[in-house]
Amino acid sequence: MPDPEHAFPPADIEAFYRLVAARRDVRNRFRPDPVGDDLLTRVLTAAHQAPSVGLSQPWDFIVLRDRAVRERVHALARAQQDVFAASLPRSRAAAFRGLKVEAILDTPVNIVVTCDPTRGGRHVLGRHAQPQVALYSSVCAVQNLWLAARAEGLGVGWVSFFNERELAAALELPAHLQVVAYLCVGHVEAFPTAPELVLSGWARQRPLALAVHDGKWGLRGLPGADPASLLADTVAAIEPPDGAAIAQARERQEHLTKPSGSLGVLEDLSVQLAGLAGECPPPLPEPAVIAIFAADHGVHAQGVTPWPQEVTAQMVANFLASGAVVNAIAEQAGAEVCVIDVGVIAELPAAPGLLPRKVRPGTADMTTGPAMSRQEAERAIEVGIETARDLVAAGNRCLVTGDMGIANTTASAALVAVFTGAEPGEVTGRGTGVDDETWARKVDVVRRALARHQPDPADPVGTLAAVGGLEHAALAGFVLGAAALRVPVVLDGVIACAAALAARALAPEAVHCLVAGHLSTEPGAGRALTALGLRPLLQLDMRLGEGSGGALALPILQSAARVLRDVATFDSAGVSGAKE
């Protein structure tokens, strides 16, 4: 309940929350009408009333109306947009070209919000330990300005496609000032009903429940609500395919200008995608992203591979430098590559494209004890769930599994053996190409680990903890997260297939989001796919991993959806069908 002594009247409270919900980052449908001086002054007054560290008020507002100045700024923004577009995967670049990302010349006035981090001298209260709070204070002023403008019926668009120093020079700012925000302000024909990036499909909004932590990071729960379990909530959100959409897709396939069934598996894929999405035709599974989960394995100490353990970290660096096989195939397929450190022993330096999510530095040797604790397995699963959620929120409509971890095929063989009931010798492969002696040692290692732990396939978290890898647990969560969001997942090789078995054990309906990209030569992959009821799209005698086989299958999956959406029907094309 609001504090009756200090709260605003109920109507004012309701109006405030409506205002917050209605604020939009506007880029389209501005009108050329001038913004009156009185109106602009009221908005700037609201901005100037923002809180600031030590009441330093480090902001200034530069009001730009001169078109020549704005044209110079516009040229800087366009140049940075071109740089950004060139960095994007092909499907993302195509989507970006369809977005309007600034209204510098469309609005009658631009406002530049700057920050003077030196204002007030060296003894500003609260700034000495955290000098960056001067910038944060200026952002508070931006938010006040934005809300006041919306209340007055003005649209505001924040343009961030700038090199900040180039923009400061173009505006002839003193060297000690920093540009915090470049805002385009004007009257609009109408405000969008939702954020423009949501309406365009570029991104999704993140639920509040995922952003609130109770007392400790990771303990999610809204105030007053029961503590949330990311794993349990995700599993509960996974539902069967939509039967009506499946029926519509099958019926539509029969009316396309082709003989019935002539596209074979492509037709089945399109029906699967429709059932998953709950609509026919389904959205195209693009943009796509390959998520490479990387971790090390304690079982490496048993001599199951001739490759040194440090190769894991070295290959992560190779992925980030776009020098690996998966990078080349992803470039061809128009997909993004993202690397998640869920358990690499080495400390990896920060780099674009790297998500630091380390649960622990590698697993323990599963022949001498559990690979990880149950709590660590759950944390790794949740890393995968969060990664899926974040990548989908960023606008991706298809997820591809990738992996990196020297000795991870040994853990994969153990997992496949547990979940399928196969003998270790039937599902243990040669990984990177080991000789007969090393293969025999590898089989013995898997057999000894299973004998020691006696993992129960009905307890998938316990099984992952006993004999799995951190990347296996994260990949299982990745599948669960995608299934809950009804987004397709293309599986790569044996590591992903082993993880998918664990995901199915946690949530049987999760299999409906899975597409088998290819059949790895690792024997455990075929056994796992059979158990999952999946038919691989490709069989190219590959066993590399990384996400390479999944990336190769992407165009097939995308073609299946495009055929269902774009091919004409007999009626629409005026083509006669087969006579009955």
Side-chain angles (χ1 to χ4, degrees):
M1 293 288 294
D3 185 331
E5 183 177 355
H6 302 294
F8 280 75
D12 291 350
I13 295 174
E14 181 184 353
F16 172 76
Y17 286 114
R18 282 206 321 272
L19 171 64
V20 171
R23 187 204 61 79
R24 295 285 181 265
D25 190 356
V26 182
R27 298 173 178 87
N28 295 282
R29 305 182 69 185
F30 279 102
R31 301 201 315 256
D33 317 19
V35 177
D37 291 340
D38 289 346
L39 174 54
L40 194 56
T41 299
R42 287 198 301 273
V43 169
L44 291 171
T45 298
H48 194 55
Q49 291 170 334
S52 61
V53 60
L55 202 60
S56 58
Q57 303 164 86
W59 51 73
D60 285 281
F61 309 104
I62 304 171
V63 179
L64 298 178
R65 290 191 176 91
D66 187 277
R67 186 171 181 87
V69 174
R70 291 188 289 132
E71 284 177 347
R72 291 199 299 272
V73 172
H74 182 261
L76 292 178
R78 290 299 305 176
Q80 287 300 322
Q81 289 172 49
D82 292 342
V83 171
F84 178 66
S87 73
L88 293 172
R90 186 172 61 250
S91 59
R92 273 293 205 189
F96 178 69
R97 285 193 293 271
L99 292 177
K100 183 174 176 57
V101 296
E102 51 80 18
I104 295 170
L105 300 178
D106 300 338
T107 50
V109 62
N110 298 173
I111 299 175
V112 183
V113 183
T114 65
C115 174
D116 180 353
T118 68
R119 184 163 294 156
R122 64 183 297 185
H123 299 304
V124 169
L125 186 65
R127 196 175 68 192
H128 87 281
Q130 296 190 65
Q132 71 274 20
V133 293
L135 280 170
Y136 303 162
S137 298
S138 297
V139 173
C140 291
V142 173
Q143 182 71 309
N144 271 21
L145 185 155
W146 216 329
L147 291 171
R150 180 62 186 89
E152 298 276 7
L154 291 175
V156 177
W158 188 335
V159 185
S160 56
F161 280 96
F162 295 113
N163 175 295
E164 189 271 337
R165 287 293 84 190
E166 285 185 351
L167 178 58
L171 297 173
E172 300 179 346
L173 298 181
H176 67 283
L177 294 186
Q178 297 171 272
V179 177
V180 174
Y182 191 99
L183 307 174
C184 305
V185 181
H187 297 281
V188 297
E189 294 177 7
F191 283 91
T193 57
E196 292 185 8
L197 292 181
V198 171
L199 295 174
S200 69
W202 183 267
R204 296 188 186 185
Q205 290 183 294
R206 185 172 177 235
L208 174 64
L210 297 181
V212 179
H213 305 255
D214 188 5
K216 180 181 178 181
W217 193 94
L219 300 179
R220 291 174 173 81
L222 295 175
D226 293 334
S229 165
L230 182 58
L231 175 55
D233 290 350
T234 300
V235 168
I238 298 173
E239 297 181 346
D242 186 292
I246 287 175
Q248 291 170 14
R250 285 178 176 153
E251 181 180 5
R252 179 168 173 79
Q253 281 287 356
E254 293 303 308
H255 290 86
L256 300 182
T257 50
K258 61 177 182 58
S260 175
S262 59
L263 290 180
V265 175
L266 280 188
E267 298 186 16
D268 298 332
L269 279 175
S270 71
V271 171
Q272 178 186 351
L273 291 173
L276 180 63
E279 58 182 288
C280 176
L284 295 181
E286 57 183 51
V289 59
I290 304 161
I292 303 175
F293 292 88
D296 280 307
H297 294 260
V299 76
H300 181 275
Q302 296 296 318
V304 293
T305 173
W307 290 79
Q309 198 162 54
E310 56 264 28
V311 169
T312 300
Q314 292 167 355
M315 281 303 299
V316 167
N318 196 22
F319 298 141
L320 297 173
S322 299
V325 170
V326 69
N327 298 103
I329 298 174
E331 176 71 20
Q332 181 63 34
E336 177 186 354
V337 174
C338 176
V339 183
I340 305 93
D341 173 13
V342 71
V344 180
I345 288 177
E347 287 299 321
L348 304 177
L354 175 65
L355 302 182
R357 304 290 188 268
K358 199 188 305 285
V359 172
R360 56 176 282 170
T363 55
D365 184 349
M366 64 181 176
T367 65
T368 61
M372 66 191 100
S373 70
R374 187 179 189 91
Q375 292 73 25
E376 288 167 338
E378 289 177 349
R379 282 172 56 199
I381 292 170
E382 292 191 344
V383 165
I385 293 172
E386 287 190 320
T387 301
R389 286 180 177 271
D390 288 348
L391 292 176
V392 172
N396 291 289
R397 293 180 176 176
C398 183
L399 307 181
V400 183
T401 65
D403 63 87
M404 184 62 223
I406 297 301
N408 62 7
T409 57
T410 302
S412 298
L415 291 171
V416 174
V418 172
F419 288 116
T420 67
E423 287 296 316
E426 297 173 343
V427 293
T428 304
R430 295 181 181 269
T432 54
V434 300
D435 58 21
D436 291 346
E437 180 182 352
T438 306
W439 177 81
R441 185 184 308 120
K442 190 174 176 181
V443 172
D444 179 63
V445 164
V446 173
R447 188 173 284 118
R448 285 191 286 123
L450 296 181
R452 180 184 183 93
H453 300 291
Q454 297 291 310
D456 180 2
D459 178 17
V461 176
T463 297
L464 287 165
V467 298
L470 291 155
E471 74 269 50
H472 292 99
L475 282 165
F478 191 62
V479 168
L480 295 174
L485 295 171
R486 306 185 78 86
V487 171
V489 177
V490 182
L491 297 178
D492 186 36
V494 68
I495 286 82
C497 292
L501 289 170
R504 185 189 66 167
L506 286 161
E509 297 292 348
V511 296
H512 299 294
C513 81
L514 298 176
V515 175
H518 77 117
L519 177 62
S520 167
T521 58
E522 283 288 297
R527 192 65 176 257
L529 290 178
T530 298
L532 292 166
L534 300 177
R535 177 176 176 175
L537 299 183
L538 298 170
Q539 187 170 352
L540 300 174
D541 296 336
M542 293 174 62
R543 54 177 172 81
L544 174 61
E546 302 181 1
S548 53
L552 280 171
L554 260 179
I556 298 175
L557 181 66
Q558 292 162 344
S559 296
R562 192 172 290 276
V563 164
L564 188 63
R565 188 192 72 175
D566 293 350
V567 172
T569 63
F570 287 107
D571 287 344
S572 67
V575 176
S576 300
K579 295 182 179 180
E580 297 182 0

